Amino acid sequence: MLRLLVILFTFSTLLMACQPAGESAAADAETNSAPAAAPEPLAAGSPDPAAARLLDRVYAAHGGARYEAADYQFVFRDKVFTFTNQEG
């Protein structure tokens, strides 16, 4: 019995949630849905200065130059894989 009540409650909640919005809500959505102006694209090869500063901080915080030349090894499906990174 409890199972039936839960199913009926869920079904009725879904039906009420899926009702279309009233006309006033639709009109508001149409008038307020103008797309925002897209930001100006950066020239090719010129990074965003704020993004470059953030990446520099992240790079330094996580070891920086320590990973420019490093040996790595891992096991995947009982097979050992190794590789060397020599230039970042």
Side-chain angles (χ1 to χ4, degrees):
M1 184 67 169
L2 179 61
R3 186 181 206 182
L4 180 61
L5 288 174
V6 170
I7 291 171
L8 286 174
F9 176 75
T10 304
F11 183 71
S12 62
T13 303
L14 288 173
L15 281 179
M16 288 188 294
C18 294
Q19 294 296 321
E23 291 181 23
S24 62
D28 288 343
E30 288 178 16
T31 58
N32 294 332
S33 64
E40 290 295 321
L42 296 172
S46 63
D48 179 12
R53 285 192 305 273
L54 176 65
L55 289 175
D56 289 341
R57 286 181 25 218
V58 169
Y59 182 73
H62 291 278
R66 179 172 57 177
Y67 298 107
E68 288 189 12
D71 296 321
Y72 298 94
Q73 178 178 345
F74 64 95
V75 178
F76 179 71
R77 295 186 179 169
D78 297 327
K79 185 172 181 181
V80 178
F81 293 87
T82 59
F83 64 96
T84 301
N85 185 20
Q86 296 179 352
E87 296 183 25

